[in-house]
Amino acid sequence: MITQKLSDFVVGVDAATIPPETLQMLRLSMLDWAACGIAGRDEPVATITRDMALAEEGAAQAHVFGAPQAIPARAAALVNGAASHALDYDDTHFAHIGHPSVAVLSAALAVGEADNTEGTALQAAALIGIETSIRVGVWLGRDHYQTGFHQTGTAGAFGAAAACARLLGFTPDQTAACLGLVATRASGLKSQFGTMGKPYNAGIAAANGVEAALLVQRGFEPNQDALECAQGFGPTHAGQAVESALDGVGDRWLFDTISHKFHACCHGLHATLEALANMNRPAVADIASIHITTHPRWMTVCNQPDPTTGLGAKFSYRMVTAMALTGHSTAALDSYSDALCAAPELVSLRNKVSVTTDDRLSETQAEVTLTLTNGQSLNTAHDLKAPIALSDRETRLLTKASALIGADKAQALWQEINTSVSARDMGRLIAS
């Protein structure tokens, strides 16, 4: 049964056996998460959730992006999950199409701060929680996602709960109770994409994980099998109960194939943008049409044809393609603006873009054909699964973090993460 197997995994993993490369990838995701959260702290969803949490006051347990005072752990998880996903610039895992770090790291840091956790334990718990999130997402399957559930909010809540259970030293039975309880809280809808509701999904996943763990710590007794039992989360949320989801858990880390974002938009658009970056692009005036071929599942995620807002542009093949071909950096946050969506040159080029699907492509692949006014065709393609060496990934993520929060702060943050900064010190770093 998935709950029991996951509980045994969460409790039983010996941190000393985690491969160094896997831990280094986790540290890179911590850097990426923190940089995205610091850069996103003034976004509307961040300020609204933070203002609400600060107004409620409460026990000074954990810090949030953009405020010096500590607040209750559950509230801090909500605020930090929303803030770090506000820019939609955080990591993704394509095994289940979710953003696992924003929910799990936000929950783990909140509980870790409240419990005064040292850095190596925080990192191990976060990694175990993220792996749990991915495994639950794979178990739920693509029908869950296609039906309209947002895996960042749903699978993410289970990962957040798992990380908290690990930090609090739960037994397998307590961990199973934590996963069973969060099953009745996990939520998140894709209908919120393109609005403040999408990053809020990450925040509620983090807060749900913290809440479930703190209740179980106090003796709360739920149905432990509520993830998989009759009328449980899976059966009632279009879950497919994919049997292979837990293959190799504890020995093989799906987290190793996490995908970091190098464009400030939905990850479904990145293969197209990388393909365009790899070609010798013609002058805009010479382009007659642009055709993009992608996996069918992205059509309900990031195919807004005529966005009018900068946020909507982050979910539009047509818009980001027009941006890239006209020289607007898709990595820069300020490129995604309401004004750019209305710019005549961009609208004209956007209208030349068509998007079709081919289920022979994977979700990480895209093909692009540019037809020129002289009849010539230019073809390019990219697969996001193309390997990136850890050293190259580190360079790209430090460049990204430097652009988001400044080179000095990015380097200082990276140095602290690499020396396994404690939860409390990490909290102070993101708040400053």
Side-chain angles (χ1 to χ4, degrees), residues 26-109:
L26 183 277
R27 294 184 188 107
L28 286 169
S29 279
M30 285 185 73
L31 169 68
D32 192 50
W33 168 80
C36 287
I38 293 168
R41 64 190 178 189
D42 293 326
E43 291 295 304
V45 68
T47 59
I48 290 169
T49 54
R50 185 173 62 244
D51 288 350
M52 179 186 72
L54 293 174
E56 291 178 343
E57 299 181 339
Q61 296 175 326
H63 289 85
V64 296
F65 295 108
Q69 63 268 51
I71 60 176
R74 180 174 47 163
L78 172 69
V79 174
N80 287 339
S84 55
H85 196 44
L87 300 174
D88 216 316
Y89 212 173
D90 49 288
D91 62 23
T92 302
H93 205 290
F94 286 102
H96 70 299
I97 312 182
H99 299 262
S101 291
V102 283
V104 176
L105 283 169
S106 297
L109 182 61

Side-chain angles (χ1 to χ4, degrees), residues 193-224:
F193 285 12
T195 75
M196 284 186 271
K198 184 176 190 283
Y200 179 67
N201 287 345
I204 58 177
N208 285 339
V210 171
E211 179 177 305
L214 294 180
L215 288 171
V216 169
Q217 187 184 42
R218 286 161 172 78
F220 198 106
E221 297 181 0
N223 178 355
Q224 294 186 5

Side-chain angles (χ1 to χ4, degrees), residues 100-272:
S101 291
V102 283
V104 176
L105 283 169
S106 297
L109 182 61
V111 168
E113 272 204 82
D115 208 45
N116 196 21
T117 301
E118 50 88 18
T120 55
L122 174 68
Q123 291 182 11
L127 174 62
I128 289 165
I130 292 171
E131 185 74 11
T132 299
S133 173
I134 298 166
R135 297 284 184 161
V136 170
V138 173
W139 181 82
L140 287 168
R142 295 306 165 83
D143 285 357
H144 173 74
Y145 187 76
Q146 286 304 107
T147 296
F149 296 109
H150 185 197
Q151 290 268 37
T152 302
T154 56
F158 293 95
C164 295
R166 173 79 180 200
L167 287 169
L168 295 173
F170 282 2
T171 64
D173 191 60
Q174 287 175 303
T175 302
C178 193
L179 295 174
L181 181 55
V182 85
T184 206
R185 294 285 281 168
S187 59
L189 298 175
K190 285 165 60 182
S191 60
Q192 297 293 348
F193 285 12
T195 75
M196 284 186 271
K198 184 176 190 283
Y200 179 67
N201 287 345
I204 58 177
N208 285 339
V210 171
E211 179 177 305
L214 294 180
L215 288 171
V216 169
Q217 187 184 42
R218 286 161 172 78
F220 198 106
E221 297 181 0
N223 178 355
Q224 294 186 5
D225 299 324
L227 173 57
E228 70 263 41
C229 71
Q231 297 187 326
F233 186 84
T236 60
H237 288 70
Q240 294 174 266
V242 178
E243 292 184 3
S244 61
L246 267 64
D247 287 355
V249 66
D251 298 316
R252 179 170 59 91
W253 294 85
L254 297 186
F255 175 76
D256 286 340
T257 53
I258 199 82
S259 185
H260 294 100
K261 284 187 164 188
F262 304 113
H263 305 275
C265 56
C266 179
H267 224 146
L269 306 173
H270 286 215
T272 295

